[in-house]
Amino acid sequence: MRRYVSFVFILFVIAFGTSLSIRANLGSSPISAPPYVLSLIPGIPMTMGAIVICMHVLFILIQILLLRKNYEIRQLTQIFVSFLFGFYTDVTMWMTGFLQIPASLPHAIGFPLQFVELLIGGALLAFGIACEVRCDSLMLAGEGLPLAIAKAVKRDFGKVKICSDTGLVVIGVCLMYYFFGHWDWKMIGVGTLVSMFYVGFMVRQFAPHIVWLDKIFIPADERREEVAEEVEEETEEEAVPFIITIAREYGSGGLTLGRLLSERLGVDLYDHAIIDETAQRLGYTSEFVRENEQNISNGKLWELIFTDKSIPMSMNPSQDDAIFVSESRIIRALAAKKPCVIIGRCANWVLRGDRKAFRVFVTSNEADAVERVMEKDNLSANDARRRIEQVNTGRSNHYLQYTGHHWTDARDYDLVLNTSTLSIDACAEIIEKAIKSKKVKN
């Protein structure tokens, strides 16, 4: 009930942010485009809120048709949510009426004011969506439909959401030309385009900073259960003397160092085993996971940065998210069982709260990295250099996407080693001594 009551208030914030964006007169948000255009038809007997309700009910029917027996009955609560959101839409449109920027203002003054109002409205909308995801109780039909489509066609939610938003804008444009005969930038304009990407970006900015709202969203007994589980995990971890995580630049010799440590310390090394178990859990091939994990190009990173994050990661059918979530669970499970060496996969971040984890970053000079890659992959110097840049870029972008931090930031590690300055054996000896020193301190 606490989650549901919280959602009722969150829904008002989302509606208020949407209405404030519309009042900027630069175009509505994509999902509001069709109902907003229809609400402006002279003499139409329905309010914008009533049209929103009709549109959302239609979305629910489409979800049922797409998913059929796989449609979760609890998602029928979207009907109630649709009526409440429609009511909130009318209320907030009335509340924000006085905030509409007068058209009589000079363009040099009016446009900046409109743009500021658009950004504030979009930020409020993003804050509401971030809270909705954190609350994790009910879902708007506008998010439920692209999620259903993503499940039906087995595609990433973010990409489907972009396509569905674009489709709604196209429908809005068609309605605008049919009923008004011309393009009106106040109905669909620059604000519509900004909203498509700005809101998703702002959701990502808010998400890490609203954990404190769990005290409101999540019941006290549920929070106590989580604390009890954490205490139990810590008790189990006491039996594990250490966990070594190794993040490494390509060609730095980090994997060789991990293998040497595994032998010297008499513990297991986990690298490809994590890939194999992840593949088995998700029903992918090991080759597929190997090609897609820790590998985000610059172009894909920008796509992810602006992708809509209006559903929890655990619900997202995105292959990248599924692989990261699965690997993170495997890493936590391994860390609770026995001492080991874990290579890559953001393990230093996944285990950042584990006192037994010793986080190492391995780097080297470019010349040494090129030489190693030339020998390992049988490449020319130029090809090896390009390969190093490609792999390091992919790992860096992957780390940024899932942690919000920079991969090479020394503050995320306990020790940074340069294998061009020190030999692999010397690096292993330093880590061994550091582990023993850390054990004494604990």
Side-chain angles (χ1 to χ4, degrees):
M1 286 304 299
R2 181 187 288 247
R3 290 179 187 273
Y4 293 149
V5 171
S6 299
F7 183 79
V8 168
F9 287 97
I10 291 168
L11 205 60
F12 181 82
V13 175
I14 293 174
F16 191 88
T18 302
S19 297
L20 190 60
S21 298
I22 289 174
R23 291 304 183 191
N25 268 350
L26 293 174
S28 65
S29 62
I31 197 168
S32 301
Y36 181 53
V37 171
L38 289 173
S39 70
L40 297 176
I41 299 172
I44 189 167
M46 300 175 70
T47 63
M48 181 178 170
I51 299 170
V52 165
I53 292 171
C54 293
M55 183 181 75
H56 280 215
V57 171
L58 176 63
F59 287 172
I60 295 168
L61 292 174
I62 295 173
Q63 290 177 55
I64 295 172
L65 289 173
L66 283 172
L67 298 178
R68 299 188 182 185
K69 63 180 182 180
N70 293 323
Y71 183 79
E72 297 179 14
I73 299 300
R74 73 185 184 95
Q75 293 301 337
L76 287 174
T77 54
Q78 290 178 28
I79 297 174
F80 164 74
V81 173
S82 300
F83 277 87
L84 185 60
F85 188 65
F87 170 72
Y88 280 163
T89 297
D90 284 340
V91 170
T92 53
M93 286 296 286
W94 171 76
M95 290 175 64
T96 57
F98 74 99
L99 293 172
Q100 192 153 322
I101 308 296
S104 57
L105 284 177
H107 189 69
I109 299 175
F111 184 76
L113 288 176
Q114 287 175 294
F115 201 74
V116 168
E117 188 170 37
L118 173 69
L119 295 181
I120 294 173
L124 277 173
L125 174 58
F127 177 74
I129 291 173
C131 290
E132 177 192 3
V133 173
R134 194 79 196 174
C135 186
D136 194 15
S137 57
L138 302 176
M139 185 185 300
L140 277 164
E143 293 144 10
L145 177 60
L147 179 58
I149 295 172
K151 288 179 178 178
V153 300
K154 295 180 170 43
R155 292 291 184 271
D156 290 353
F157 170 80
K159 293 178 181 178
V160 173
K161 187 68 163 64
I162 290 174
C163 291
S164 67
D165 284 351
T166 304
L168 288 170
V169 172
V170 171
I171 292 171
V173 170
C174 293
L175 292 171
M176 180 173 60
Y177 271 104
Y178 181 79
F179 289 105
F180 298 93
H182 62 88
W183 189 290
D184 190 332
W185 292 98
K186 296 176 183 177
M187 296 183 192
I188 299 175
V190 64
T192 306
L193 184 62
V194 169
S195 295
M196 286 184 72
F197 302 101
Y198 172 69
V199 173
F201 174 77
M202 289 304 295
V203 169
R204 291 179 57 85
Q205 303 308 306
F206 282 123
H209 304 293
I210 60 171
V211 179
W212 59 274
L213 287 172
D214 285 354
K215 293 180 180 179
I216 299 173
F217 299 154
I218 302 176
D221 57 345
E222 194 172 325
R223 295 201 305 273
R224 281 194 294 270
E225 285 178 13
E226 289 179 359
V227 171
E229 287 176 3
E230 288 175 3
V231 171
E232 185 179 347
E233 287 176 3
E234 287 178 4
T235 303
E236 291 177 355
E237 287 167 4
E238 291 297 327
V240 179
F242 64 86
I243 301 293
I244 300 173
T245 71
I246 297 181
R248 77 285 185 213
E249 291 181 336
Y250 194 61
S252 65
L255 180 57
T256 304
L257 173 60
R259 287 171 177 160
L260 180 59
L261 277 170
S262 172
E263 292 173 5
R264 292 177 66 152
L265 296 170
V267 299
D268 289 333
L269 172 76
Y270 291 102
D271 180 22
H272 295 304
I274 296 176
I275 294 175
D276 295 336
E277 186 169 346
T278 297
Q280 185 177 0
R281 288 188 180 191
L282 299 178
Y284 300 148
T285 64
S286 297
E287 291 72 22
F288 176 85
V289 174
R290 190 174 291 108
E291 288 172 4
N292 286 274
E293 62 150 12
Q294 305 184 91
N295 184 23
I296 297 178
S297 65
N298 286 330
K300 189 172 184 180
L301 177 65
W302 283 107
E303 175 192 319
L304 290 169
I305 286 174
F306 290 102
T307 288
D308 192 291
K309 292 290 181 182
S310 53
I311 60 172
M313 187 184 293
S314 59
M315 292 176 59
N316 196 337
S318 159
Q319 293 170 339
D320 294 322
D321 287 354
I323 290 172
F324 177 77
V325 170
S326 180
E327 289 189 339
S328 298
R329 288 172 178 165
I330 293 168
I331 287 168
R332 291 192 190 98
L334 291 172
K337 289 179 180 177
K338 56 185 177 180
C340 59
V341 178
I342 302 175
I343 303 294
R345 289 157 193 87
C346 301
N348 65 298
W349 177 260
V350 173
L351 300 177
R352 63 192 181 280
D354 190 333
R355 292 173 300 172
K356 303 299 181 184
F358 189 74
R359 293 160 284 267
V360 179
F361 186 86
V362 182
T363 184
S364 70
N365 298 339
E366 182 184 8
D368 291 335
V370 168
E371 186 177 343
R372 283 194 185 96
V373 173
M374 286 174 64
E375 182 180 349
K376 174 180 175 290
D377 297 339
N378 194 25
L379 298 173
S380 66
N382 287 335
D383 288 342
R385 208 169 278 110
R386 281 193 292 269
R387 176 65 177 157
I388 290 168
E389 183 179 357
Q390 179 189 15
V391 173
N392 285 342
T393 298
R395 289 175 179 174
S396 178
N397 289 343
H398 177 268
Y399 194 83
L400 178 63
Q401 161 69 4
Y402 289 107
T403 71
H405 287 219
H406 293 287
W407 182 48
T408 55
D409 190 338
R411 289 171 294 186
D412 282 351
Y413 305 95
D414 299 306
L415 182 66
V416 178
L417 295 168
N418 189 327
T419 54
S420 293
T421 304
L422 300 164
S423 68
I424 298 291
D425 285 328
C427 289
E429 188 174 342
I430 289 171
I431 294 173
E432 279 190 80
K433 288 181 179 178
I435 288 295
K436 291 175 183 176
S437 172
K438 193 170 188 295
K439 285 168 65 179
V440 171
K441 282 183 69 176
N442 286 342

